[in-house]
mmCIF file of all heavy atoms in Angstrom:
data_model
loop_
_atom_site.group_PDB
_atom_site.id
_atom_site.type_symbol
_atom_site.label_atom_id
_atom_site.label_comp_id
_atom_site.label_asym_id
_atom_site.label_seq_id
_atom_site.Cartn_x
_atom_site.Cartn_y
_atom_site.Cartn_z
ATOM 1 N N GLU A 1 -0.645 -7.847 -8.061
ATOM 2 C CA GLU A 1 0.564 -7.985 -7.245
ATOM 3 C C GLU A 1 1.830 -8.124 -8.090
ATOM 4 O O GLU A 1 2.819 -7.426 -7.866
ATOM 5 C CB GLU A 1 0.450 -9.172 -6.286
ATOM 6 C CG GLU A 1 1.681 -9.296 -5.396
ATOM 7 C CD GLU A 1 1.486 -10.269 -4.244
ATOM 8 O OE1 GLU A 1 0.442 -10.190 -3.566
ATOM 9 O OE2 GLU A 1 2.387 -11.099 -4.031
ATOM 10 N N MET A 2 1.818 -9.027 -9.045
ATOM 11 C CA MET A 2 3.008 -9.227 -9.878
ATOM 12 C C MET A 2 3.329 -7.973 -10.693
ATOM 13 O O MET A 2 4.498 -7.659 -10.937
ATOM 14 C CB MET A 2 2.812 -10.422 -10.804
ATOM 15 C CG MET A 2 2.751 -11.763 -10.097
ATOM 16 S SD MET A 2 4.308 -12.255 -9.321
ATOM 17 C CE MET A 2 5.287 -12.707 -10.749
ATOM 18 N N ILE A 3 2.297 -7.245 -11.099
ATOM 19 C CA ILE A 3 2.499 -6.011 -11.862
ATOM 20 C C ILE A 3 3.184 -4.957 -10.996
ATOM 21 O O ILE A 3 4.122 -4.273 -11.434
ATOM 22 C CB ILE A 3 1.162 -5.467 -12.402
ATOM 23 C CG1 ILE A 3 0.512 -6.485 -13.353
ATOM 24 C CG2 ILE A 3 1.370 -4.127 -13.095
ATOM 25 C CD1 ILE A 3 1.319 -6.772 -14.589
ATOM 26 N N VAL A 4 2.718 -4.804 -9.753
ATOM 27 C CA VAL A 4 3.317 -3.841 -8.829
ATOM 28 C C VAL A 4 4.782 -4.171 -8.585
ATOM 29 O O VAL A 4 5.660 -3.290 -8.635
ATOM 30 C CB VAL A 4 2.534 -3.816 -7.493
ATOM 31 C CG1 VAL A 4 3.324 -3.056 -6.425
ATOM 32 C CG2 VAL A 4 1.166 -3.172 -7.681
ATOM 33 N N VAL A 5 5.048 -5.450 -8.323
ATOM 34 C CA VAL A 5 6.433 -5.873 -8.076
ATOM 35 C C VAL A 5 7.299 -5.629 -9.309
ATOM 36 O O VAL A 5 8.438 -5.156 -9.211
ATOM 37 C CB VAL A 5 6.473 -7.362 -7.675
ATOM 38 C CG1 VAL A 5 7.921 -7.871 -7.608
ATOM 39 C CG2 VAL A 5 5.784 -7.575 -6.328
ATOM 40 N N HIS A 6 6.751 -5.925 -10.480
ATOM 41 C CA HIS A 6 7.513 -5.787 -11.723
ATOM 42 C C HIS A 6 7.800 -4.324 -12.059
ATOM 43 O O HIS A 6 8.937 -3.975 -12.419
ATOM 44 C CB HIS A 6 6.738 -6.440 -12.871
ATOM 45 C CG HIS A 6 7.341 -6.228 -14.217
ATOM 46 N ND1 HIS A 6 8.560 -6.760 -14.584
ATOM 47 C CD2 HIS A 6 6.901 -5.522 -15.300
ATOM 48 C CE1 HIS A 6 8.842 -6.410 -15.830
ATOM 49 N NE2 HIS A 6 7.857 -5.654 -16.283
ATOM 50 N N LEU A 7 6.799 -3.467 -11.924
ATOM 51 C CA LEU A 7 6.961 -2.071 -12.337
ATOM 52 C C LEU A 7 7.679 -1.215 -11.302
ATOM 53 O O LEU A 7 8.472 -0.331 -11.653
ATOM 54 C CB LEU A 7 5.593 -1.452 -12.646
ATOM 55 C CG LEU A 7 4.839 -2.006 -13.863
ATOM 56 C CD1 LEU A 7 3.497 -1.311 -14.012
ATOM 57 C CD2 LEU A 7 5.665 -1.836 -15.144
ATOM 58 N N TRP A 8 7.434 -1.457 -10.037
ATOM 59 C CA TRP A 8 7.929 -0.571 -8.988
ATOM 60 C C TRP A 8 8.955 -1.209 -8.059
ATOM 61 O O TRP A 8 9.592 -0.513 -7.276
ATOM 62 C CB TRP A 8 6.761 -0.052 -8.140
ATOM 63 C CG TRP A 8 5.793 0.784 -8.913
ATOM 64 C CD1 TRP A 8 6.015 1.427 -10.106
ATOM 65 C CD2 TRP A 8 4.445 1.088 -8.542
ATOM 66 N NE1 TRP A 8 4.892 2.107 -10.504
ATOM 67 C CE2 TRP A 8 3.903 1.921 -9.571
ATOM 68 C CE3 TRP A 8 3.629 0.760 -7.471
ATOM 69 C CZ2 TRP A 8 2.606 2.404 -9.524
ATOM 70 C CZ3 TRP A 8 2.331 1.243 -7.422
ATOM 71 C CH2 TRP A 8 1.828 2.047 -8.438
ATOM 72 N N GLY A 9 9.092 -2.527 -8.124
ATOM 73 C CA GLY A 9 9.928 -3.228 -7.155
ATOM 74 C C GLY A 9 11.356 -2.740 -7.076
ATOM 75 O O GLY A 9 11.968 -2.765 -6.001
ATOM 76 N N HIS A 10 11.916 -2.295 -8.196
ATOM 77 C CA HIS A 10 13.304 -1.842 -8.218
ATOM 78 C C HIS A 10 13.438 -0.329 -8.133
ATOM 79 O O HIS A 10 14.545 0.197 -8.140
ATOM 80 C CB HIS A 10 13.993 -2.346 -9.493
ATOM 81 C CG HIS A 10 14.089 -3.832 -9.564
ATOM 82 N ND1 HIS A 10 15.045 -4.537 -8.864
ATOM 83 C CD2 HIS A 10 13.349 -4.755 -10.221
ATOM 84 C CE1 HIS A 10 14.903 -5.834 -9.108
ATOM 85 N NE2 HIS A 10 13.884 -5.987 -9.925
ATOM 86 N N LYS A 11 12.313 0.369 -8.052
ATOM 87 C CA LYS A 11 12.360 1.828 -8.033
ATOM 88 C C LYS A 11 12.351 2.402 -6.618
ATOM 89 O O LYS A 11 12.708 3.547 -6.413
ATOM 90 C CB LYS A 11 11.175 2.400 -8.823
ATOM 91 C CG LYS A 11 11.232 2.084 -10.317
ATOM 92 C CD LYS A 11 10.061 2.723 -11.054
ATOM 93 C CE LYS A 11 10.135 2.429 -12.545
ATOM 94 N NZ LYS A 11 9.013 3.033 -13.297
ATOM 95 N N PHE A 12 11.905 1.610 -5.649
ATOM 96 C CA PHE A 12 11.821 2.082 -4.275
ATOM 97 C C PHE A 12 12.460 1.056 -3.352
ATOM 98 O O PHE A 12 12.601 -0.122 -3.703
ATOM 99 C CB PHE A 12 10.361 2.308 -3.859
ATOM 100 C CG PHE A 12 9.624 3.287 -4.723
ATOM 101 C CD1 PHE A 12 8.855 2.855 -5.788
ATOM 102 C CD2 PHE A 12 9.707 4.645 -4.463
ATOM 103 C CE1 PHE A 12 8.174 3.753 -6.587
ATOM 104 C CE2 PHE A 12 9.028 5.555 -5.256
ATOM 105 C CZ PHE A 12 8.264 5.110 -6.322
ATOM 106 N N LYS A 13 12.830 1.500 -2.162
ATOM 107 C CA LYS A 13 13.368 0.592 -1.164
ATOM 108 C C LYS A 13 12.289 -0.374 -0.696
ATOM 109 O O LYS A 13 11.098 -0.048 -0.646
ATOM 110 C CB LYS A 13 13.893 1.381 0.037
ATOM 111 C CG LYS A 13 14.920 2.460 -0.319
ATOM 112 C CD LYS A 13 16.190 1.874 -0.886
ATOM 113 C CE LYS A 13 17.244 2.961 -1.100
ATOM 114 N NZ LYS A 13 18.493 2.430 -1.645
ATOM 115 N N VAL A 14 12.722 -1.577 -0.323
ATOM 116 C CA VAL A 14 11.777 -2.610 0.100
ATOM 117 C C VAL A 14 10.937 -2.147 1.283
ATOM 118 O O VAL A 14 9.715 -2.328 1.315
ATOM 119 C CB VAL A 14 12.543 -3.909 0.463
ATOM 120 C CG1 VAL A 14 11.628 -4.908 1.152
ATOM 121 C CG2 VAL A 14 13.144 -4.534 -0.794
ATOM 122 N N MET A 15 11.574 -1.525 2.273
ATOM 123 C CA MET A 15 10.833 -1.113 3.463
ATOM 124 C C MET A 15 9.837 0.011 3.174
ATOM 125 O O MET A 15 8.879 0.196 3.926
ATOM 126 C CB MET A 15 11.807 -0.674 4.556
ATOM 127 C CG MET A 15 12.495 -1.822 5.277
ATOM 128 S SD MET A 15 11.349 -2.851 6.225
ATOM 129 C CE MET A 15 10.934 -1.763 7.563
ATOM 130 N N THR A 16 10.039 0.736 2.095
ATOM 131 C CA THR A 16 9.067 1.761 1.710
ATOM 132 C C THR A 16 7.711 1.141 1.421
ATOM 133 O O THR A 16 6.669 1.659 1.832
ATOM 134 C CB THR A 16 9.560 2.529 0.466
ATOM 135 O OG1 THR A 16 10.821 3.123 0.754
ATOM 136 C CG2 THR A 16 8.567 3.617 0.073
ATOM 137 N N PHE A 17 7.721 0.015 0.721
ATOM 138 C CA PHE A 17 6.474 -0.692 0.416
ATOM 139 C C PHE A 17 5.816 -1.218 1.692
ATOM 140 O O PHE A 17 4.596 -1.153 1.848
ATOM 141 C CB PHE A 17 6.748 -1.859 -0.536
ATOM 142 C CG PHE A 17 7.107 -1.441 -1.932
ATOM 143 C CD1 PHE A 17 8.428 -1.405 -2.346
ATOM 144 C CD2 PHE A 17 6.118 -1.078 -2.833
ATOM 145 C CE1 PHE A 17 8.764 -1.012 -3.629
ATOM 146 C CE2 PHE A 17 6.440 -0.683 -4.121
ATOM 147 C CZ PHE A 17 7.772 -0.647 -4.527
ATOM 148 N N VAL A 18 6.620 -1.757 2.601
ATOM 149 C CA VAL A 18 6.082 -2.311 3.848
ATOM 150 C C VAL A 18 5.417 -1.213 4.674
ATOM 151 O O VAL A 18 4.318 -1.387 5.211
ATOM 152 C CB VAL A 18 7.203 -3.007 4.655
ATOM 153 C CG1 VAL A 18 6.656 -3.526 5.983
ATOM 154 C CG2 VAL A 18 7.816 -4.151 3.850
ATOM 155 N N ILE A 19 6.095 -0.072 4.792
ATOM 156 C CA ILE A 19 5.533 1.055 5.553
ATOM 157 C C ILE A 19 4.231 1.532 4.927
ATOM 158 O O ILE A 19 3.228 1.756 5.629
ATOM 159 C CB ILE A 19 6.563 2.207 5.621
ATOM 160 C CG1 ILE A 19 7.776 1.792 6.445
ATOM 161 C CG2 ILE A 19 5.924 3.467 6.210
ATOM 162 C CD1 ILE A 19 8.964 2.725 6.312
ATOM 163 N N PHE A 20 4.229 1.701 3.630
ATOM 164 C CA PHE A 20 3.032 2.178 2.925
ATOM 165 C C PHE A 20 1.888 1.166 3.054
ATOM 166 O O PHE A 20 0.732 1.541 3.276
ATOM 167 C CB PHE A 20 3.366 2.425 1.458
ATOM 168 C CG PHE A 20 2.261 3.090 0.687
ATOM 169 C CD1 PHE A 20 1.717 4.303 1.097
ATOM 170 C CD2 PHE A 20 1.749 2.500 -0.455
ATOM 171 C CE1 PHE A 20 0.690 4.918 0.392
ATOM 172 C CE2 PHE A 20 0.723 3.097 -1.176
ATOM 173 C CZ PHE A 20 0.195 4.313 -0.749
ATOM 174 N N GLY A 21 2.202 -0.121 2.940
ATOM 175 C CA GLY A 21 1.178 -1.151 3.083
ATOM 176 C C GLY A 21 0.560 -1.156 4.469
ATOM 177 O O GLY A 21 -0.659 -1.311 4.621
ATOM 178 N N ALA A 22 1.388 -0.974 5.501
ATOM 179 C CA ALA A 22 0.877 -0.925 6.874
ATOM 180 C C ALA A 22 -0.047 0.271 7.079
ATOM 181 O O ALA A 22 -1.070 0.178 7.771
ATOM 182 C CB ALA A 22 2.044 -0.878 7.862
ATOM 183 N N ALA A 23 0.308 1.419 6.483
ATOM 184 C CA ALA A 23 -0.545 2.610 6.595
ATOM 185 C C ALA A 23 -1.884 2.398 5.893
ATOM 186 O O ALA A 23 -2.945 2.736 6.435
ATOM 187 C CB ALA A 23 0.185 3.820 6.007
ATOM 188 N N LEU A 24 -1.860 1.822 4.699
ATOM 189 C CA LEU A 24 -3.109 1.522 3.981
ATOM 190 C C LEU A 24 -3.979 0.555 4.774
ATOM 191 O O LEU A 24 -5.210 0.659 4.772
ATOM 192 C CB LEU A 24 -2.797 0.914 2.616
ATOM 193 C CG LEU A 24 -2.378 1.849 1.491
ATOM 194 C CD1 LEU A 24 -2.151 1.054 0.213
ATOM 195 C CD2 LEU A 24 -3.416 2.935 1.255
ATOM 196 N N ASN A 25 -3.346 -0.382 5.457
ATOM 197 C CA ASN A 25 -4.053 -1.369 6.268
ATOM 198 C C ASN A 25 -4.920 -0.683 7.320
ATOM 199 O O ASN A 25 -6.087 -1.043 7.519
ATOM 200 C CB ASN A 25 -3.018 -2.286 6.931
ATOM 201 C CG ASN A 25 -3.616 -3.555 7.491
ATOM 202 O OD1 ASN A 25 -4.572 -4.110 6.950
ATOM 203 N ND2 ASN A 25 -3.033 -4.035 8.574
ATOM 204 N N GLY A 26 -4.353 0.325 7.988
ATOM 205 C CA GLY A 26 -5.120 1.060 8.984
ATOM 206 C C GLY A 26 -6.185 1.944 8.377
ATOM 207 O O GLY A 26 -7.327 1.993 8.857
ATOM 208 N N LEU A 27 -5.858 2.653 7.305
ATOM 209 C CA LEU A 27 -6.805 3.558 6.662
ATOM 210 C C LEU A 27 -8.020 2.823 6.108
ATOM 211 O O LEU A 27 -9.141 3.349 6.121
ATOM 212 C CB LEU A 27 -6.106 4.323 5.535
ATOM 213 C CG LEU A 27 -5.082 5.373 5.969
ATOM 214 C CD1 LEU A 27 -4.332 5.921 4.756
ATOM 215 C CD2 LEU A 27 -5.756 6.509 6.741
ATOM 216 N N ALA A 28 -7.821 1.610 5.618
ATOM 217 C CA ALA A 28 -8.922 0.833 5.035
ATOM 218 C C ALA A 28 -10.018 0.559 6.061
ATOM 219 O O ALA A 28 -11.211 0.514 5.714
ATOM 220 C CB ALA A 28 -8.390 -0.485 4.471
ATOM 221 N N TYR A 29 -9.633 0.373 7.330
ATOM 222 C CA TYR A 29 -10.629 0.147 8.384
ATOM 223 C C TYR A 29 -11.151 1.460 8.945
ATOM 224 O O TYR A 29 -12.335 1.589 9.263
ATOM 225 C CB TYR A 29 -10.022 -0.696 9.512
ATOM 226 C CG TYR A 29 -9.802 -2.138 9.132
ATOM 227 C CD1 TYR A 29 -8.533 -2.617 8.860
ATOM 228 C CD2 TYR A 29 -10.873 -3.024 9.018
ATOM 229 C CE1 TYR A 29 -8.321 -3.936 8.511
ATOM 230 C CE2 TYR A 29 -10.682 -4.346 8.662
ATOM 231 C CZ TYR A 29 -9.403 -4.790 8.409
ATOM 232 O OH TYR A 29 -9.203 -6.101 8.049
ATOM 233 N N LEU A 30 -10.257 2.439 9.078
ATOM 234 C CA LEU A 30 -10.644 3.721 9.673
ATOM 235 C C LEU A 30 -11.766 4.387 8.877
ATOM 236 O O LEU A 30 -12.679 4.995 9.451
ATOM 237 C CB LEU A 30 -9.423 4.636 9.729
ATOM 238 C CG LEU A 30 -9.483 5.841 10.662
ATOM 239 C CD1 LEU A 30 -9.696 5.403 12.107
ATOM 240 C CD2 LEU A 30 -8.205 6.658 10.532
ATOM 241 N N MET A 31 -11.733 4.256 7.555
ATOM 242 C CA MET A 31 -12.726 4.922 6.718
ATOM 243 C C MET A 31 -14.128 4.328 6.879
ATOM 244 O O MET A 31 -15.118 4.977 6.551
ATOM 245 C CB MET A 31 -12.302 4.847 5.247
ATOM 246 C CG MET A 31 -12.276 3.451 4.668
ATOM 247 S SD MET A 31 -11.598 3.416 2.978
ATOM 248 C CE MET A 31 -12.771 4.459 2.114
ATOM 249 N N LEU A 32 -14.233 3.126 7.432
ATOM 250 C CA LEU A 32 -15.541 2.495 7.596
ATOM 251 C C LEU A 32 -16.376 3.152 8.692
ATOM 252 O O LEU A 32 -17.577 2.904 8.796
ATOM 253 C CB LEU A 32 -15.369 1.001 7.910
ATOM 254 C CG LEU A 32 -14.765 0.145 6.795
ATOM 255 C CD1 LEU A 32 -14.528 -1.278 7.277
ATOM 256 C CD2 LEU A 32 -15.666 0.145 5.567
ATOM 257 N N ILE A 33 -15.753 3.992 9.510
ATOM 258 C CA ILE A 33 -16.476 4.639 10.605
ATOM 259 C C ILE A 33 -17.375 5.766 10.101
ATOM 260 O O ILE A 33 -18.456 6.002 10.632
ATOM 261 C CB ILE A 33 -15.478 5.216 11.635
ATOM 262 C CG1 ILE A 33 -14.643 4.091 12.255
ATOM 263 C CG2 ILE A 33 -16.201 6.007 12.721
ATOM 264 C CD1 ILE A 33 -13.561 4.604 13.195
ATOM 265 N N PHE A 34 -16.965 6.465 9.062
ATOM 266 C CA PHE A 34 -17.522 7.784 8.765
ATOM 267 C C PHE A 34 -18.824 7.785 7.975
ATOM 268 O O PHE A 34 -19.636 8.690 8.109
ATOM 269 C CB PHE A 34 -16.468 8.610 8.038
ATOM 270 C CG PHE A 34 -15.232 8.810 8.865
ATOM 271 C CD1 PHE A 34 -14.060 8.133 8.570
ATOM 272 C CD2 PHE A 34 -15.250 9.652 9.968
ATOM 273 C CE1 PHE A 34 -12.923 8.309 9.350
ATOM 274 C CE2 PHE A 34 -14.127 9.833 10.754
ATOM 275 C CZ PHE A 34 -12.965 9.151 10.437
ATOM 276 N N THR A 35 -19.046 6.811 7.126
ATOM 277 C CA THR A 35 -20.283 6.803 6.349
ATOM 278 C C THR A 35 -20.605 5.384 5.924
ATOM 279 O O THR A 35 -19.766 4.485 6.000
ATOM 280 C CB THR A 35 -20.153 7.701 5.099
ATOM 281 O OG1 THR A 35 -21.410 7.753 4.422
ATOM 282 C CG2 THR A 35 -19.098 7.161 4.142
ATOM 283 N N HIS A 36 -21.849 5.157 5.495
ATOM 284 C CA HIS A 36 -22.299 3.844 5.071
ATOM 285 C C HIS A 36 -22.700 3.885 3.597
ATOM 286 O O HIS A 36 -23.602 4.615 3.215
ATOM 287 C CB HIS A 36 -23.507 3.385 5.915
ATOM 288 C CG HIS A 36 -23.120 2.788 7.224
ATOM 289 N ND1 HIS A 36 -22.332 3.438 8.130
ATOM 290 C CD2 HIS A 36 -23.422 1.574 7.777
ATOM 291 C CE1 HIS A 36 -22.165 2.665 9.199
ATOM 292 N NE2 HIS A 36 -22.812 1.528 9.008
#
């Protein structure tokens, strides 16, 4: 976490991270449907 904030925190808009995190949140569960 601290590495991500340090390396990328000033390179992108704050809301860009929030949007991307929300999308990953959904994808992480969606992928559990398809295979074991």
Side-chain angles (χ1 to χ4, degrees):
E1 182 168 313
M2 292 293 286
I3 299 297
V4 167
V5 172
H6 173 66
L7 293 179
W8 297 340
H10 296 281
K11 294 182 179 180
F12 302 95
K13 305 295 186 180
V14 169
M15 283 295 289
T16 302
F17 289 99
V18 177
I19 293 167
F20 188 56
L24 281 182
N25 195 34
L27 290 172
Y29 288 105
L30 198 60
M31 65 186 299
L32 294 175
I33 298 175
F34 299 107
T35 185
H36 278 55

